[in-house]
Amino acid sequence: MLEVSIFVSYVILSIALGLTFVRLVIGPSLPDRVVALEMIATLTVGFIAVYTLSSGVTAFLDVAMVLALTAFLAAVGFARLITKGGGVHHD
Amino acid sequence: MTDVVVSLFLLIGAGFMFVAALGLLRMPDLPMRLHATTKAGALGGGLMVIAVGLEFFGDVAVAARAAAIIIFIVLTAPIAAHLIGRAGYFVGLPMWSKTLKDELKDRYDPQNQVLLSPGEVSSEDKPDRDKAE
Amino acid sequence: MIGPLAWNILLAMLWMGFTGSFTGTNLFIGLALGYLVLAYALRGIPAFANYATKVPRTIRFIGFFLWELILSNLKVAYDVLTPTYYMKPGVIAFPLEARTDGEITIVANLISLTPGTLSLDVSSDRKVLYIHVMYLDDEAEVVKSLRYLEHRALEVLR
Amino acid sequence: MLLAILSGFLLATVAPAVHRQTGMNSGWVLAILPAALFLYFLSFLPAVGSGESIVISYPWVPGLDIQLSFLVDGLSLLFALLISGIGFFIVAYAGRYLEGHKDLGRFYVLILSFMASMLGLVLSDNLISLFVFWELTSITSYLLIGFNHEDATARRSALQGLFVTVGGGLALLTGLVMMAVVTGSYELSEILSSGDALRDHGWYVAIVLLVLLGCFTKSAQVPFHFWLPRAMAAPTPVSAYLHSATMVKAGVYLMARLNPSLGATDLWLILLGVFGALTMFTGVFMSIRSTGVKQVLAYSTVMALGTLTMLIGVGTDTAIMAAMAFLLAHSLYKGALFLIAGILDHEAGCKDFLQTGGLRHALPITATFAAIAALSLGGVIPMFGFVAKELLFEAVLEAPSLSGLLSLLTVASAILVVAVAAVVGIKPYWGPRVETPKTPHHEAPPAMLAGPAVLASLGLLFGVGVAMVDRGLLSAAAGAVYGSPVETYLSLWHGFNLPLMLSLLSLVLGLTIYFNWDRFRTATGFMDDLKRFGPERAYDKSMDGLVSISEWQTRVLQNGYLRYYLLTILLSTVALVTFSIARAGGLEIQMSLAGVRIQELAIVAVLLLAALVSVTTSSRLGAVASLGAVGFSVALIYVLFSAADVGITQVLVETLTVIMLVLVLFRLPGFLGLTPQALRIRDAVVALAFGVMVALLSLAASSTRFADSISEYFIRESEPSGFGRNIVNVILVDFRALDTLGEIVVLALAAVGVYAMIKLRAEDNRK
Amino acid sequence: MRPEVALPVVLPLLFGAISLALWRYRTAQRVIGVLGTGTLLAAAVWLLLATWRDGVLVMHMGNWQAPFGIVLVSDLLGAIMVVLAAISGLATAVYSLTAISKRHEHYGYYPLLHLLLAGVNGAFLTGDIFNMYVWFEVMLVASFALLILGGERAQMEGAIKYVTLNLVSSAIFLSGIGLLYGLTGTLNMADIADKLADVEDTGLITVIAMMFLVSFGIKAGAFPFFFWLPASYHTPQVAVSALFAALLTKVGVYALFRVFTLIFTQDVGYTHEILLWVAGATMLTGVLGAAAQYEFRRILSFHIISQIGYMIMGLALFTPLALVGGVFYIMHHIIVKANLFLVSGLVYRLKGTYELKELGGMYRSHPILGLLFLVPALSLAGIPPLSGFFAKFILIRAGVEAESWWIVFVALLVGLLTLYSMIKIWAEVFWKAQPEEHANRPAPGPKGTGVMYGTIAVMAAMTVFIGFGAQPIYLIAEQAAHQLLDPQIYIDAVLGDRS
Amino acid sequence: METLMAFVVGGLFAAAIYMMLRRSIVKLVIGLILLSNGANLLLFTQAGMLRGAPPLVPLGATQPEGVVADPLAQALILTAIVIGFGVLAFAVVLIHRAYEVVEADDMDQMKDTDT
Amino acid sequence: MQSLILRSASQLLLPLLLMFSIFLLLRGHDEPGGGFIAGLVAASAIALHMFAQDIHQAKRVLYADPRDLVGWGLVFGVISGVPAIFKGQAFFTSQWLEFTMPILGKIKVGTPLIFDIGVYLVVVGSVLLILLTLAEAED
Ligand code: NA
Ligand code: NA
């Protein structure tokens, strides 16, 4: 039961990753890409959750914890850049 | 029993993740993409982490970490969305053509980084501003 | 709210130390006992005055909020998953009742997490929250539900 | 012995101080040393004259078989006496000639050092110490030629001399080393007895060529003769000493020295004979074509050097004896004539024979000794030069082969020599008075006259009393060169024989040419055009060529374009690796995608695509964002394959990198489409090639494993010995703490560097 | 337990750390700068003597037995390099007392100096291939920072090339380590050598050897990887140039010596043949590059490259004598090249320019400096009896014995062309009269040049000593070469004699 | 998986090198980042890849149960990542400064020091 | 960046992250974490504060000059390897002390921990030195 769900989750997350990636590529603006990057981080948290379930090793949750923090930090950084006028008009 | 619950949380979470990703791709402008990722992403991630917490139910370390992750996601996702959303808005990214109204329009002065409320007068009209600034 | 909560957690920790059992169940027991101690034994101390009522109210609010969150997501999910768009987006100015920075922040974030609304920014005079709304079919209805959310949040916070 | 040789260097170090103390008498004071050395070497004469040779050895670098070992036999003694004896007069002379010159102190340093080097050269028994002194003479000579260093011509001439002689010296070094490898020793005293081993060895030809290259360049043999006349940029005492009496003879010395071990073959005879004869003729021909005082003398020196070389090549006992006699004669008269040339310059300001004439009244003593020296040069009886010339004719006439050619050139040269002798001995002093740049008021001071007087007189003395030098010194020297005692002895009068006839013939014809000197020069004017094809031209061309090649190379290789540097490096790497793989006959590779999970595939796909996007996107920040995606994917790979700490670190670092980029890129402009399509394709091909190479190596290395990893140890010992359950962290802070220490040092350094970069800029902006 | 093995690494780390911590106190940093490098020299000499007396010394850092922990190993080559590093470090520190401006001191000059030395010494002493990578990076980043201290355009441009190409080198190095680790499962160099010794199919190993060749070739400035060097070495503060010239490329050379005598000896006929070609091409391109230059430090920079060629030639010929020559060459070159840069700095100090065409008249005005230039310059060109002569002589003899005629020819030719460049500098800077139009260029002036003179004179004296006292140097080099040719000595010292 | 990773590593190297061959200094930096990722992953691949077995010792035990991933390689990579970060930080700022000085994002305008 | 929301959120996030960082530092020897990771998290926390508030606020929170952190952290790191030498052991041989404390039980304190703290300080100092300097330059 759980194995199947894990497999299915992996598949769903992989597809989601692909979709997000498309947004990352096509943009069109920097904020769009940043959102996509955020989403990738969130998906990574998801991957880690599934992986924790499938492997039974909980140590990887720490990675997810740090990931949640830093992805936010990156977004803040980008937002700061964009607000200052960088990277949108002459991108 | 646990397996079923865990699977449920996991699959629903993954489903929301998918929705978020698809929304990100399909939505026509930045704010709406943010709608998708902020809500569905946070919820999906949260549910999946809850699934982990349930699977290792009773293990304080896991529970604490799961809780921390969820709190973190819930805490940061809307802030990030706000930051990116406003940034995108202020630098003038076009909104979807079918947007009904925009009360924020022309309220932001990037020079002074002042955002006026609807009734306020634009700062340039205020006589007492220090011109040297 | 934060102070008493910290005390509560501390008491739970002590409980776990005394009993020498570091399990989730015991933590839960510790938290509950701590709550009882703070809510009843120390209710005379001003800092803990409202603690008794606040905790259940907070829990109720979280429940309410989670429900809203799920609802909002289902709505978005439907829109995302179906080929046609039902959105009628717009940006509205929502006059805030929240006053302190903390209140404004929490309200804004809650709004971002709930049905079809996304806080874009607070005006510099902190009177207005600009919100991007996804389904602006009936603006009054939207504002009303936002107001309701704000009230419930402030109730917990104040 | 060592002290005797080094004393010159030692005195050199204090010479400027001595000069300051003794003022105008410094020449005499400092000349005490060469005089003392002369006497010291003279004390060896009895022993050496009776056939002994003395070897004295001091260890230097025994590990390399380099000794400071010295050999005193006839040959080295002859040279040592010439060097110290003439050195005495030169130093004394220079004291007056350069009186008041601001660099006189430095001049002493150089000339004394040179003398010491020269002594070391001729006395060395060890080939390497010989070479050391050999090079020292080149360097000191360089500094002396360029003594008037603010003059560009002097600098150029000095460089030319140095370049030619050092270049030859390097060939010589190779030859010497090869000799040592063949014979197993660097000691001349041993090598001289290994002649057969050398001649039979496959390297013989190479050794001869290399050694001769060194000797020919040093002794200005054709085609390397061009540097010597140029070297006349040096002050006259230098020309007299280095470029007539001593340094240029170093090459001759070495050929003579090695004659027993390398000589007595056709190769040796032909090379030395032909090049020597050509040099002889070229020298004298150029000499008579010149009019500059020092030019004439310099070219006639070339002639003498050619003669000596030729004689060593001929190699019969007569020839060797002739060579030794000629060597002595030449040193005496050429030393005298150069010093007289200096007097002409010093007193009358004459640098060209055409500016001179009728000076016999103003400079009677000078004129007298000039005449005596010129007679010796011209080979007129009863001068010592005559003795030498007679023997020279005899030697070439009896040469074992090439006799005809050598004799012809010798006679032709002898004729021209007479003309040259007339030019230097007659032209300035006789005939009508010619207006000289300076009017001479008096004779030169005694210090300047002493040298010409003594040297010229010795030429006469030795001619009349041949026996004074014959049996002791010259026969010993000749014996050393010949390899066994020589039977030929000198005499002033041989009777009416063919050589005497030739002497007379040359005298007559030579004087004829002298009296038609102007016409002769005009008639041979076409020779100037030939210079364009001469060796000097080749030297100039190669110097220009060197600079051109250098510029070209810098333009091509060090072109300033970072991407071409990278391209070169990467392509070289690919080439090296590919070639090595091909040489190894391919690599063993096992490929298998079994067991790869779908999520892993997805992540890998995203990773690669993100990398691709970051490469191809035209949006700068889009590239940064894609980079973030790459980073997260990599982190996920770490996590999926059990590396938690690495995953966390990757995530953190990735984020901080993005933030940093964002902070920094803020000001930078967007990408420009700078490169044309074709170049982009080229770069892509290179990049792909490199990628494929790395992938192949990775596959090959994963498919092969020679031993188990030492990780087992850490896994086993982490908790018990490192007291930590996170094995990675225990490795980081304990098992391999040194790595971690280095790592934080890197971080600290980077921070300091960044801080400095930005703050220094800020400071500059404030200014 | 032999503390002397680790001191050359630990001391500069400690001094670097302390002077970093004392960043507010400039004087303290200057004092630590000189005292620290002085102490380092003492420690280095101690190490060399100990290694000379007792053979290869090993310290198992953290007391973890080899091959598990990191070992520091001092064989003679390593110890020699450490001494040379300490000498150049001390010379630079002393010279810097007047040569480095206050503001550069303020931004971390001395800590960078110490830590650079720590990196260099770490690389020389470590017996662990990954640890070597770490020290390489320490050295590299320290050198990056030193390079840009000043912030001028030329420094930026030079630094970008320097940084980029060296990072490529590092990446290739790291990849090579990864591949080696994949094959052998170990990082200890002795252990790697030991494990590779019995391998029969050596093709892959040789291929990996090429990665190391390229990586270290870049660091060493060998052909065709040297481009970063002429682009950058003439740009920083001259004291920094001198230190770089003395040490950095030599770390690459050292690494080549280490891995191609210890680890990659499976297919010497092939690998060392390639090294020989690299050596020849390096010599030639370096010296030719210099011929057209008219900037003091640029000429010197190009000559670093050609000199590197000689060192690699020693390694490539791979006979006992050739290795002696290589080691001897390194010793000679570090002293001489550092000194030449220091001389150029003094000339700049007095004249305010490095351009030969604008310089002149210094033989007249500063004869002592002229002499102090000639000693290292002629030594570099291999004029006897200075140090460079013996270095070249040994290599020539080794080349002759190996009958590698073309490399002998190249080595000699390059010697001649080196002389050409040195003489060019001499003629232009010292002999030529000062060109009128550049006579009044502003220069920092002679204040405080005494310290600089002193440093240069001591270095020149060392050059002379290596020449006249070549025997002890030769003996050390010979012993070092002996250890290099018999890797088992190193392996046994590190892993213990297991037979 | 090692096979797949070989492609990843090769791909990263190729991308990195392509970027470094561009004229833009910003692209150069991106290339450097990719390069260091590639090298790290190469090392990771070579250590052998194992799923779900982090090198941790369970509480109370002295050794992990069963086979765990190679901790040494992980420690090395961690070190390499940090070093790469330090170097990169420097490089990024250097490029920033170079840009300020040269005033163009074009390596071709930075070739004065060579010739 | 003038965002009220971020500013007030950062007041909450900062202590949270700093606690998290210390947690990672202390348990790094047993679970994922350690001085380096912890240092990066702490640096990130302050960087976030810098973005949310301003540079001065961030510096005030940090209190120490980042250069001091770098310098003294490095001193710590090197010094932790030295005690062994006084016991006649190789540099960086770890030295452990065992305490028995009430409640907490047996606690092992050793030089690797000091080393880890050194690493932590250097990382915090270096990263912040870079970020703060950059941010200052940008203004
Ligand atoms: Na380097
Ligand atoms: Na160098």
Side-chain angles (χ1 to χ4, degrees), chain D residues 23-24 32 48 66 137 171 173 196 263 324 373 442 462 470 552 557 576-577 622 635 655 658 662 711 720 728:
Chain D
M24 64 177 287
I32 294 171
V48 170
I66 300 175
T137 61
L173 177 63
D196 293 333
M324 292 305 107
H442 49 72
F462 291 162
D470 179 359
W552 171 82
L557 284 179
L576 276 173
V577 167
T655 308
V658 166
V662 160
S711 291
V728 174

Coordinates of all heavy atoms in Angstrom, one line a residue, chain D residues 23-24 32 48 66 137 171 173 196 263 324 373 442 462 470 552 557 576-577 622 635 655 658 662 711 720 728:
Chain D
G23 N 95.3 57.8 -6.5 CA 95.1 58.8 -7.5 C 95.8 58.4 -8.8 O 95.7 57.3 -9.3
M24 N 96.6 59.4 -9.3 CA 97.2 59.2 -10.6 C 98.2 58.1 -10.7 O 98.6 57.6 -11.8 CB 97.7 60.5 -11.2 CG 98.9 61.0 -10.4 SD 99.6 62.5 -11.1 CE 100.4 61.9 -12.6
I32 N 101.4 46.1 -9.7 CA 102.3 45.3 -9.0 C 101.8 43.8 -9.0 O 102.6 42.9 -9.1 CB 102.4 45.8 -7.5 CG1 103.1 47.2 -7.5 CG2 103.2 44.8 -6.6 CD1 103.0 47.9 -6.2
V48 N 109.1 23.2 -15.8 CA 108.3 23.0 -16.9 C 109.2 22.8 -18.2 O 109.0 22.0 -19.0 CB 107.3 24.1 -17.1 CG1 106.6 24.0 -18.5 CG2 106.3 24.1 -16.0
I66 N 83.7 18.2 -10.1 CA 84.2 19.5 -10.4 C 85.3 19.9 -9.4 O 85.0 20.0 -8.2 CB 83.1 20.6 -10.5 CG1 82.1 20.2 -11.5 CG2 83.7 21.9 -10.8 CD1 80.9 21.1 -11.6
T137 N 85.5 35.2 -18.6 CA 86.2 36.1 -19.6 C 85.2 36.7 -20.5 O 85.3 37.9 -20.8 CB 87.3 35.4 -20.4 OG1 86.6 34.4 -21.2 CG2 88.3 34.8 -19.5
A171 N 77.9 25.7 -26.6 CA 78.2 24.5 -27.5 C 79.4 23.8 -26.9 O 79.5 22.6 -26.7 CB 78.4 24.9 -28.9
L173 N 80.4 23.8 -23.8 CA 80.1 23.1 -22.6 C 79.5 21.7 -23.0 O 79.9 20.7 -22.4 CB 79.0 23.9 -21.8 CG 78.5 23.2 -20.6 CD1 79.6 23.0 -19.6 CD2 77.4 24.0 -19.9
D196 N 92.5 8.2 -28.0 CA 92.0 7.2 -28.9 C 90.6 6.8 -28.6 O 89.8 6.6 -29.4 CB 92.9 5.9 -28.7 CG 94.3 6.2 -29.3 OD1 94.4 7.1 -30.2 OD2 95.3 5.6 -28.8
G263 N 92.8 15.9 -31.9 CA 93.5 16.1 -33.2 C 93.9 14.8 -33.9 O 93.5 13.7 -33.5
M324 N 103.3 28.1 -31.8 CA 103.7 28.7 -30.5 C 104.6 29.9 -30.8 O 104.4 30.9 -30.0 CB 104.5 27.6 -29.7 CG 103.7 26.4 -29.3 SD 102.2 26.9 -28.3 CE 100.9 26.6 -29.4
A373 N 107.8 47.3 -33.9 CA 106.7 46.3 -33.8 C 106.1 46.0 -35.2 O 105.8 44.8 -35.5 CB 105.5 46.9 -33.0
H442 N 103.5 66.6 -26.8 CA 104.6 65.9 -26.2 C 104.4 64.4 -26.3 O 103.3 64.0 -26.7 CB 104.7 66.3 -24.7 CG 103.4 66.1 -24.0 ND1 102.8 64.9 -23.7 CD2 102.5 67.1 -23.5 CE1 101.6 65.2 -23.1 NE2 101.5 66.5 -23.0
F462 N 113.9 38.6 -29.0 CA 113.7 37.2 -29.2 C 114.1 36.8 -30.6 O 114.4 35.6 -30.9 CB 112.2 36.9 -28.9 CG 111.9 37.0 -27.5 CD1 110.5 37.0 -27.1 CD2 112.8 37.0 -26.5 CE1 110.2 37.1 -25.8 CE2 112.5 37.1 -25.2 CZ 111.1 37.2 -24.8
D470 N 113.3 29.6 -27.1 CA 113.1 28.4 -27.8 C 113.0 27.1 -27.0 O 112.0 26.6 -26.8 CB 114.3 28.3 -28.8 CG 114.2 27.1 -29.7 OD1 113.3 26.3 -29.5 OD2 115.1 27.0 -30.6
W552 N 55.5 37.7 -32.5 CA 54.5 36.8 -33.1 C 54.0 35.8 -32.1 O 52.8 35.7 -32.0 CB 55.2 36.1 -34.3 CG 54.3 35.0 -34.9 CD1 53.3 35.2 -35.8 CD2 54.3 33.6 -34.6 NE1 52.7 34.0 -36.1 CE2 53.3 33.0 -35.4 CE3 55.1 32.8 -33.7 CZ2 53.1 31.6 -35.3 CZ3 54.9 31.5 -33.7 CH2 53.9 30.9 -34.5
L557 N 50.0 33.4 -28.9 CA 49.7 32.6 -27.7 C 49.2 33.5 -26.6 O 48.2 33.2 -26.0 CB 51.0 31.9 -27.2 CG 51.4 30.6 -28.0 CD1 52.7 30.1 -27.5 CD2 50.3 29.6 -28.0
L576 N 45.6 15.1 -25.0 CA 46.4 14.2 -24.1 C 45.7 13.0 -23.7 O 46.2 11.9 -23.7 CB 46.9 15.0 -22.9 CG 48.2 15.9 -23.1 CD1 48.4 16.7 -21.8 CD2 49.4 15.0 -23.4
V577 N 44.5 13.3 -23.2 CA 43.7 12.2 -22.6 C 43.3 11.2 -23.8 O 43.4 10.0 -23.6 CB 42.4 12.7 -21.9 CG1 41.5 11.6 -21.6 CG2 42.9 13.4 -20.6
G622 N 17.9 35.0 -15.5 CA 17.3 33.7 -15.8 C 18.3 32.7 -15.7 O 18.1 31.6 -15.1
A635 N 21.6 19.1 -4.9 CA 21.3 18.8 -3.5 C 20.4 17.6 -3.4 O 20.6 16.7 -2.5 CB 20.7 20.0 -2.8
T655 N 22.1 28.8 -2.0 CA 21.3 30.0 -1.7 C 22.2 31.2 -1.5 O 22.0 32.3 -2.1 CB 20.5 29.7 -0.5 OG1 19.8 28.5 -0.7 CG2 19.5 30.8 -0.3
V658 N 23.5 32.4 -4.8 CA 22.4 33.1 -5.5 C 22.3 34.6 -4.9 O 22.3 35.5 -5.7 CB 21.1 32.4 -5.5 CG1 20.0 33.3 -5.9 CG2 21.2 31.2 -6.3
V662 N 23.1 37.9 -6.8 CA 22.1 38.9 -6.9 C 22.6 40.3 -6.5 O 22.3 41.3 -7.1 CB 20.8 38.5 -6.1 CG1 19.9 39.6 -5.8 CG2 20.1 37.4 -6.9
S711 N 37.1 3.9 3.8 CA 35.9 4.4 4.6 C 35.5 3.4 5.7 O 35.0 3.8 6.7 CB 34.7 4.6 3.7 OG 35.0 5.6 2.9
P720 N 33.3 4.7 18.5 CA 34.2 4.3 19.6 C 35.4 5.3 19.8 O 35.8 5.5 20.9 CB 34.7 2.9 19.1 CG 33.7 2.4 18.1 CD 33.2 3.7 17.5
V728 N 30.3 11.6 9.1 CA 30.9 12.6 8.2 C 31.4 13.8 9.1 O 32.6 14.3 8.8 CB 29.8 13.2 7.3 CG1 30.3 14.4 6.5 CG2 29.3 12.1 6.4

